[in-house]
Amino acid sequence: ILPPLFVLMHHTEEKKVAELFSSIWAEGAPSDAAALRLYHAEIVDLCSSHLDSDSWHTRSAAARAVVSVVKKARKSDFKLPFEHSARLSAQLALKLNGRYWKGVESVVEALALMGGDLALATLLKCLKRKKLQLATIDALALTTSMIAAGAKEQQTALRDLLQELANPSADRDEDEDENEDSMKGAAKVKEKAAKLLSQLDEEE
C-alpha cells in the first residue's frame, strides 16, 4: 500500500487530504530511508507510468512525487540506482518537449533535482522558452552543484542566456503584447536571472 500511497499524496490539491496521506505514509514507513530502500522500484514504476499519462494533472503530480523522492533520498543519504534515475530523467526531459501545458513547471523542478548532463542540456533549452524561464531559473538556483559539474560549454551557454535575461534589450517587438502581467513576469525573470548569476559567481 505504501508505494501507491506515496504517489497519491502528490495528486490531491486538498490540503487536508494530502495531510491524511502523509500521516498514513509516516505511520506505515519505518523511516523515509528505509521506505525508499524497500519500495523505490515500485515508486519509480508508478511515477514513470503516471508521467506517460494523457492527463496533465497526472503528469504534474508524478513530477511532484519525483521531487519528493529525490529530496527524501538526499536527506536520508539514499541514492536511486542509476537505471531508475536515468529512466526518470529521460521521461522528464521528454515531457518538456512540445507545447506548454499546465503544471509542466513541476517537471522542470524534478528534472533539475535529478541532475546530470541531460538535465542541464534540457534546462538550457527551457531557458529559451518564455513560459518556462521563471520556473527554470528557480529550479537551477536549487541545483547549482549540477551546473558546476556540467561541461564548460554548458556553463558558458547558461551564463550567456542568464546575462541576456538579466539585461534584456531595450528594443521591443511592436507586435508584442506588453500587458501588465507579462511585464511583471519579465521583471521577475530579470531579477531572478541576475540573482542566479551572482549566486554562481559566489560559488566559483
Side-chain angles (χ1 to χ4, degrees):
I1 187 176
L2 286 180
L5 179 66
F6 181 86
V7 178
L8 282 173
M9 336 193 256
H10 302 86
H11 273 258
T12 180
E13 296 179 0
E14 293 291 334
K15 185 177 180 180
K16 290 184 178 180
V17 177
E19 288 176 349
L20 175 61
F21 285 153
S22 295
S23 65
I24 297 173
W25 165 266
E27 289 177 10
S31 68
D32 284 339
L36 286 175
R37 286 187 175 89
L38 286 170
Y39 303 116
H40 67 270
E42 292 91 337
I43 291 173
V44 167
D45 283 344
L46 287 168
C47 288
S48 176
S49 174
H50 289 196
L51 281 171
D52 282 337
S53 171
D54 291 332
S55 163
W56 59 261
H57 176 75
T58 300
R59 293 197 300 269
S60 181
R64 291 195 296 273
V66 172
V67 169
S68 185
V69 166
V70 175
K71 289 182 176 180
K72 289 181 183 297
R74 288 180 178 176
K75 285 183 180 179
S76 57
D77 292 325
F78 173 74
K79 188 173 182 179
L80 279 178
F82 176 76
E83 62 182 286
H84 295 317
S85 59
R87 174 184 172 191
L88 288 175
S89 292
Q91 282 187 281
L92 291 165
L94 187 62
K95 298 308 170 188
L96 291 173
N97 291 330
R99 297 174 59 186
Y100 174 88
W101 46 274
K102 187 177 179 181
V104 72
E105 293 84 0
S106 298
V107 176
V108 173
E109 181 182 5
L111 183 60
L113 288 174
M114 293 300 293
D117 292 340
L118 175 61
L120 187 52
T122 304
L123 294 173
L124 282 171
K125 295 178 182 177
C126 290
L127 272 181
K128 299 176 183 179
R129 298 176 60 182
K130 190 172 182 179
K131 289 185 177 181
L132 293 180
Q133 286 172 344
L134 193 58
T136 303
I137 293 171
D138 285 341
L140 287 168
L142 297 174
T143 56
T144 53
S145 59
M146 174 184 66
I147 299 170
K152 191 66 177 177
E153 294 80 5
Q154 288 181 317
Q155 294 182 37
T156 300
L158 173 61
R159 284 182 174 276
D160 289 345
L161 284 170
L162 290 173
Q163 286 284 4
E164 290 178 16
L165 294 174
N167 302 283
S169 171
D171 297 332
R172 297 186 183 276
D173 189 330
E174 295 180 358
D175 295 326
E176 186 177 0
D177 180 18
E178 287 293 334
N179 57 39
E180 185 176 354
D181 287 341
S182 66
M183 290 178 70
K184 286 182 179 178
K188 283 184 178 180
V189 167
K190 179 179 178 180
E191 176 187 352
K192 291 195 173 188
K195 186 176 180 179
L196 179 53
L197 277 171
S198 296
Q199 185 179 344
L200 294 174
D201 289 338
E202 290 174 1
E203 294 179 5
E204 277 191 344

